[in-house]
């Protein structure tokens, strides 16, 4: 049972890490758009 909990914990950590990465990039793009940065010059999406 401990192995299953460990696996689930690792999975959740990886999910949260990926979610934070995507959210940071989307927030960055929103900020750039609000400053009037051209579409071609926006931070690229993952």
């Amino acid at each position: 049972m401990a192995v299953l909990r460990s696996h689930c914990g690792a999975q959740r950590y990886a999910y949260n890490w990926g979610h934070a990465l995507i959210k940071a990039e989307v927030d960055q793009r929103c900020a750039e758009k609000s400053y009037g940065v051209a579409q071609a010059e926006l931070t690229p999406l993952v």
Side-chain angles (χ1 to χ4, degrees):
M1 192 64 161
V3 174
L4 178 60
R5 277 187 296 220
S6 177
H7 175 75
C8 291
Q11 182 272 333
R12 186 65 186 182
Y13 177 83
Y15 172 83
N16 287 342
W17 174 82
H19 185 265
L21 179 67
I22 298 298
K23 183 169 179 358
E25 288 189 8
V26 169
D27 290 346
Q28 178 67 31
R29 286 176 63 92
C30 287
E32 290 172 353
K33 286 179 183 178
S34 73
Y35 293 134
V37 176
Q39 183 72 24
E41 297 175 0
L42 293 176
T43 299
L45 293 173
V46 173

